[in-house]
Amino acid sequence: MKKDLLSFKDWTRSELEALLTLAMQIKAHPHAYRSALDGLSVVALFEKPSLRTRVSFDIGIHKLGGHMVYLDSQSNKLVGREDTKDMGANLACWADAIVARVFAHSTLETLASAAKVPVINALCDRYHPCQALADFLTIRERYADLSKVKLAYLGDGNNVTHSLMLVGVALGCEVIVVSPKGYEVDQEIVALSKQRAAQFGGKLTLSHDPNAAIGAHVLYTDTWISMGDSTPLEQIKDTFAAYAINENLMSRTGADYVMHCQPAHRDLEISGALIDSDKSLLMQQAENRMHGQNAILVSLLAKNFKAQL
Ligand code: CP
Ligand code: NVA
């Protein structure tokens, strides 16, 4: 039976750890995996712009011996031309997997139920699982024991935050989410994350006060306005200013590192100097997008592949 990756919300701690181990193995021994997707084709369908996700999937699939077809829904007007259900069923006639970046999570669910091949979420309104996997791979490379790590996210409670919560607490981390009033994370995902924390050993703390990040090892932020949200920056800038990650917050919290999924807005949610500093993990995160996604592809499409290490 095919397995989709729409979110990590039902992945156990040991399944996530196994995926991280595979990602580290692929990163360390890329040649051993260069035929893992031999003869397989992946369609990547994007309703929104992308730099990192698009390029890391394309190059990553090539490195595994597979082939990617990019479908740009924005310029090709694919959305609305036919039912998503029909699009999914047609794509599955040729492709061995569908990677999709969409506005609504329900579009992914429709694609997944119509397509007989795995569907991988490349970002939707609720989740960004590929990002969270790369992020915890990055943190794992800095801290051997994830159960001793405190990660503080500051800013808009969004798709990236949701995935960090769901994955982080299951890996045993303490995840602290600090958002302005009115920009909190989804309550249903909070409840699920707390349940996962109790089951797998992590902890979730929510706050409106940036001081809640004091003592965190890593500070993380994302854009204050996500793709598809037409709120003018001027309208929210003052509300979010106290949540910006800058040198002052780094020294107040005592954090070792700063993270951002990117695209970043220099001197808004994060200071430009921090991005360029030795406390920045941003490029390591970006590189790890490819290794994490390749682990996802191998585990969904080539589970029985035997790497020649
Ligand atoms: N982090 C991320 O998903 O970047 P892109 O939007 O450029 O793909
Ligand atoms: N929260 C951002 C993430 C971009 C990678 C967005 O949805 O636009």
Side-chain angles (χ1 to χ4, degrees):
M1 181 149 133
K2 68 133 176 175
K3 183 169 174 176
D4 302 302
L5 176 54
L6 303 195
S7 79
F8 280 121
K9 70 180 183 184
D10 48 11
W11 283 55
T12 64
R13 181 171 185 156
S14 57
E15 286 171 333
L16 287 167
E17 283 172 349
L19 196 58
L20 282 180
T21 302
L22 179 60
M24 286 190 276
Q25 175 116 319
I26 296 174
K27 182 172 180 175
H29 306 282
H31 291 290
Y33 288 86
R34 67 181 168 196
S35 62
L37 298 191
D38 192 19
L40 300 185
S41 298
V42 178
V43 163
L45 170 65
F46 282 74
E47 286 183 359
K48 302 179 192 176
S50 168
L51 175 77
R52 280 146 291 273
T53 309
R54 175 185 175 177
V55 176
S56 58
F57 264 111
D58 196 337
I59 293 181
I61 289 166
H62 178 75
K63 286 185 192 292
L64 296 177
H67 162 244
M68 187 184 104
V69 176
Y70 173 66
L71 285 185
D72 176 359
S73 158
Q74 284 196 320
S75 56
N76 285 317
K77 304 259 177 290
L78 291 170
V79 170
R81 189 166 169 258
E82 61 192 314
D83 281 7
T84 303
K85 185 175 171 204
D86 296 326
M87 197 194 294
N90 274 260
L91 291 174
C93 293
W94 317 295
D96 299 286
I98 300 170
V99 168
R101 167 167 286 195
V102 299
F103 285 99
H105 187 70
S106 58
T107 304
L108 289 168
E109 290 171 335
T110 307
L111 283 172
S113 66
K116 59 181 190 281
V117 299
V119 173
I120 299 169
N121 184 352
L123 179 140
C124 66
D125 54 343
R126 285 174 77 71
Y127 309 108
H128 198 358
C130 297
Q131 183 67 52
L133 181 64
D135 295 339
F136 283 100
L137 175 57
T138 303
I139 296 172
R140 171 70 184 74
E141 288 172 333
R142 298 283 164 166
Y143 303 92
D145 185 355
L146 286 178
S147 70
K148 295 201 168 69
V149 173
K150 279 191 194 186
L151 168 69
Y153 175 96
L154 291 105
D156 185 33
N158 64 19
N159 42 13
V160 169
T161 334
H162 292 157
S163 290
L164 289 173
M165 286 158 51
L166 290 166
V167 175
V169 298
L171 287 169
C173 290
E174 178 171 350
V175 180
I176 303 154
V177 177
V178 191
S179 312
K181 285 200 173 112
Y183 297 90
E184 297 92 349
V185 284
D186 182 277
Q187 284 311 302
E188 207 181 296
I189 299 174
V190 167
L192 183 56
S193 300
K194 286 196 168 164
Q195 206 177 305
R196 286 167 66 72
Q199 191 178 353
F200 299 118
K203 186 175 171 193
L204 177 67
T205 306
L206 304 173
S207 177
H208 294 119
D209 180 1
N211 286 328
I214 291 172
H217 299 92
V218 181
L219 304 187
Y220 194 121
T221 192
D222 183 13
T223 180
W224 293 336
I225 305 172
S226 284
M227 288 182 278
D229 180 348
S230 55
T231 307
L233 178 61
E234 286 311 313
Q235 197 176 304
I236 53 115
K237 213 172 158 182
D238 293 347
T239 306
F240 277 91
Y243 299 81
I245 301 184
N246 50 34
E247 289 72 3
N248 180 293
L249 189 72
M250 290 296 283
S251 75
R252 242 168 68 216
T253 55
D256 301 326
Y257 298 112
V258 64
M259 296 178 76
H260 190 311
C261 57
Q262 304 184 73
H265 306 89
R266 285 173 178 260
D267 302 326
L268 277 177
E269 73 268 8
I270 183 169
S271 84
L274 261 186
I275 294 180
D276 301 328
S277 75
D278 57 5
K279 290 183 183 300
S280 168
L281 298 183
L282 276 71
M283 293 309 144
Q284 194 182 332
Q285 291 174 263
E287 184 193 333
N288 282 339
R289 289 295 306 274
M290 184 177 79
H291 306 301
Q293 286 155 196
N294 280 1
I296 292 169
L297 289 160
V298 169
S299 74
L300 297 185
L301 301 181
K303 213 174 166 183
N304 298 323
F305 178 76
K306 293 271 170 283
Q308 301 300 319
L309 296 174

